[in-house]
Amino acid sequence: MPFESDLAHALDRTTDSLEPDLTPLLNDAITRGRTHQRRRRTAGILAGAAACAVLTTGGLLLPDALAGIRSAGSDMEPAALALPRSAVSGDQMIQALQQTFPGGKYSQQSGQSNNPADPSAGYVANGGFLFDDGHGPAFVGISAVRLKLPLRDGDGLTCDRTPARPKGDTCTLTELPPSPTLPGGALVLSERNAADRTPGSAQRWTLTLTLKSTGAQLQLTQWNSEGGGTTPETPKPTRPAPPLPEGQAVSTLTGPTWTPILNAVG
């Protein structure tokens, strides 16, 4: 399952700039992590094995490394994480995600709670599952974190990167004005990435919503494949598009379903 540790969250943007396809390496890393202890989460799907060795001890992420990791081949520093203000359970994340993707079948469900009482773990809450709405199964997942203020360039805050994005990958950044549910406004980063450079391979759509006033952040990832890119084989698409279009995704993440979680995190 791709939602197993904070490591892949820290490396999600990192591995967008790495070639070739790293899915076989991630599969091994996740397997090793499972044998130790399930802790914390990932919003990302692909991770680099070399970074795993640097950032983990016995399969567990070191919080200080999470806050300070830099993107490979990039001048951009990811934003540091802050402990959530109150706990969010894995069950809460799964239930909210089911409300985000109603009217389908759910399988392979996995969730992880955060733990604000323990500064050595629990920065991230997550939930994910395989969703089938009758148009083809898709792996979907979401994470909730709090970034340290003031916000700076990093996860979900800019489309700029070095080296440039591979051909075919896209990124747009928009700003939402302040509102009763979005005090101070929000940034919305929308990305589309190929699983690898093989023609016809699966795609992932990542939508990152960050509240400017609190640093609370949701990152929603949708794949048009069953495995989310975690199998050794090249992921094969099961549908042409993600289950939730971008406009609907933004409306849902800024609506009543996710407001309690954003408030708890930030």
Side-chain angles (χ1 to χ4, degrees):
M1 296 288 291
F3 293 85
E4 297 295 339
S5 72
D6 280 358
L7 174 61
H9 170 76
L11 298 180
D12 182 32
R13 299 291 190 286
T14 302
T15 53
D16 284 345
S17 63
L18 296 178
E19 296 291 346
D21 178 36
L22 298 176
T23 54
L25 301 179
L26 174 64
N27 194 54
D28 291 340
I30 289 178
T31 300
R32 290 194 300 271
R34 276 175 164 174
T35 63
H36 290 79
Q37 181 179 3
R38 290 195 173 197
R39 257 191 186 180
R40 308 166 59 185
R41 85 80 170 136
T42 166
I45 301 300
L46 306 176
C52 292
V54 174
L55 295 180
T56 59
T57 302
L60 302 180
L61 183 66
L62 302 177
D64 291 342
L66 174 65
I69 183 173
R70 294 177 60 91
S71 298
S74 173
D75 294 329
M76 181 180 66
E77 281 193 16
L81 299 184
L83 280 170
R85 299 191 185 277
S86 58
V88 177
S89 71
D91 287 343
Q92 284 179 274
M93 297 295 289
I94 292 174
Q95 291 169 7
L97 195 61
Q98 288 178 346
Q99 294 178 46
T100 302
F101 294 90
K105 297 180 179 179
Y106 314 106
S107 60
Q108 301 182 27
Q109 297 184 68
S110 176
Q112 178 63 57
S113 306
N114 59 30
N115 183 7
D118 182 0
S120 68
Y123 284 73
V124 184
N126 75 73
F129 47 67
L130 189 65
F131 175 70
D132 193 343
D133 57 359
H135 300 287
F139 201 93
V140 299
I142 194 164
S143 66
V145 301
R146 182 161 70 100
L147 305 185
K148 288 184 177 180
L149 297 177
L151 297 175
R152 55 179 179 167
D153 286 352
D155 285 351
L157 302 175
T158 180
C159 283
D160 297 336
R161 52 171 284 178
T162 303
R165 294 176 182 273
K167 183 178 180 180
D169 289 359
T170 63
C171 179
T172 58
L173 180 66
T174 57
E175 188 166 352
L176 302 180
S179 69
T181 57
L182 299 174
L187 298 174
V188 177
L189 191 79
S190 179
E191 299 171 277
R192 179 176 178 174
N193 304 92
D196 63 18
R197 302 305 127 190
T198 304
S201 66
Q203 303 274 323
R204 65 170 174 175
W205 289 259
T206 305
L207 189 73
T208 306
L209 171 75
T210 308
L211 301 191
K212 296 170 67 177
S213 60
T214 66
Q217 184 182 84
L218 296 173
Q219 187 173 81
L220 174 69
T221 301
Q222 304 180 73
W223 285 82
N224 64 339
S225 66
E226 293 188 11
T230 62
T231 59
E233 299 78 18
T234 300
K236 301 299 182 184
T238 53
R239 55 191 296 151
L244 199 63
E246 180 179 339
Q248 287 181 247
V250 173
S251 295
T252 301
L253 295 188
T254 57
T257 297
W258 291 98
T259 296
I261 291 174
L262 284 170
N263 291 341
V265 170

